Amino acid sequence: MKKLDDLINVFAKLPGIGRKSAIRIAFDLLEKDEKEVNRMLQIIKDSYENIKHCTTCGNLSENEICEICLNEKRDKNIICVVEGVRDIIAFEKSAIYNGLYHVLGGKIDPLNGVTTEDLNINKLIERLDGTVDEIILALNPDLEGETTALYLTKILKEKNIKVSKIASGIPMGGNIEYTDMATLGKSLEGRTEVE
C-alpha cells in the first residue's frame, strides 16, 4: 500500500528511527482514534510554529529570548559555547553550570562543506560587550570539535577573553549529549584555560 509505505518512510527519516521502529510507529498511529491523532498533529504543528531559536544564544525558546538568557540568577560573566541545543539540555541536567550558553549550530567540517561562515560565531563575538570574563569551549572531542576550538581560541584571545575547555572526561569521538551527568559535571569543574 503506497500510503502506508509513505507513512513508514516519513518516520524512518527521523534520526534514530530505523525501518522496524518506523513500521511499529506507523501501525501504532493507525490504531489510535481520530481525536488522539488530531491532538498529536496539533502539538507537532504548534511546536513547529512556536518554538524558535533564541536571538541571543541560539537555544530553543517559545519567546524571542530564552529563559536562560533572561534568568537574572545566571552568571552573565561566563558563556559556555556548545555545538547544539541538545548539549545545553545535557549541561542543564547536570545542574552544576550556572552561566550563559552560546549555540554554534555545528562545528567546522570542511569535508561536509561546513565553514566558519556557517556557524553562529559572529553573534558570539557581538556578545563580548566587556561583561564576559570567560568563554568555556564545550565542543565534542573529535577532530572537527578540536578544529573549531582552535579557531575560536585564536579569535577570543585577540579579544582578551579567558578561554577554557571542559576537561577531557569525555572520550575522544564521544558526544556531550550522551555523556552521563557525573562525567559532564566533572568535565566542567576540571576545565582548563586554553593557551
Side-chain angles (χ1 to χ4, degrees):
M1 286 189 282
K2 183 177 180 343
K3 290 199 182 297
L4 180 58
D5 284 340
D6 290 345
L7 181 62
I8 292 168
N9 290 333
V10 164
F11 291 122
K13 288 180 183 176
L14 295 172
I17 305 291
R19 184 93 179 143
K20 286 182 181 179
S21 293
I23 291 169
R24 281 194 298 274
I25 294 168
F27 278 106
D28 183 66
L29 183 70
L30 293 172
E31 294 297 322
K32 294 188 181 312
D33 64 49
E34 186 177 354
K35 185 177 178 183
E36 192 172 356
V37 171
N38 285 334
R39 180 171 152 36
M40 290 171 67
L41 292 171
Q42 185 56 46
I43 289 170
I44 292 169
K45 186 175 187 296
D46 185 54
S47 297
Y48 182 78
E49 290 173 351
N50 293 299
I51 299 175
K52 302 296 178 199
H53 289 280
C54 172
T55 57
T56 301
C57 73
N59 191 11
L60 291 178
S61 177
E62 292 179 34
N63 301 307
E64 187 174 332
I65 299 175
C66 74
E67 293 174 8
I68 294 173
C69 288
L70 290 173
N71 187 337
E72 290 300 319
K73 294 180 181 172
R74 306 288 300 209
D75 184 349
K76 308 280 187 199
N77 300 316
I78 187 167
I79 297 175
C80 182
V81 177
V82 296
E83 291 174 29
V85 173
R86 286 181 242 180
D87 298 330
I88 292 177
I89 294 167
F91 278 115
E92 287 299 290
K93 282 182 185 174
S94 76
I96 291 175
Y97 179 70
N98 191 39
L100 300 176
Y101 294 97
H102 188 81
V103 179
L104 288 178
K107 54 194 168 186
I108 299 170
D109 187 359
L111 293 177
N112 288 309
V114 181
T115 66
T116 56
E117 289 79 32
D118 299 312
L119 304 178
N120 194 15
I121 296 172
N122 290 336
K123 192 73 169 177
L124 174 63
I125 303 306
E126 288 173 19
R127 294 178 70 186
L128 306 178
D129 58 2
T131 61
V132 178
D133 298 327
E134 180 182 7
I135 298 287
I136 302 171
L137 300 177
L139 307 174
N140 286 314
D142 53 21
L143 182 60
E144 296 81 9
E146 292 298 318
T147 301
T148 307
L150 285 171
Y151 178 79
L152 290 173
T153 300
K154 182 179 179 222
I155 290 174
L156 295 168
K157 286 291 185 178
E158 292 172 1
K159 302 279 185 195
N160 245 358
I161 301 280
K162 177 183 175 185
V163 179
S164 57
K165 248 170 96 170
I166 57 174
S168 59
I170 300 170
M172 190 67 158
N175 282 308
I176 289 173
E177 68 180 288
Y178 302 119
T179 303
D180 66 272
M181 298 315 124
T183 302
L184 202 54
K186 289 295 179 191
S187 293
L188 265 176
E189 289 173 355
R191 67 183 182 267
T192 55
E193 187 169 353
V194 179
E195 299 299 325

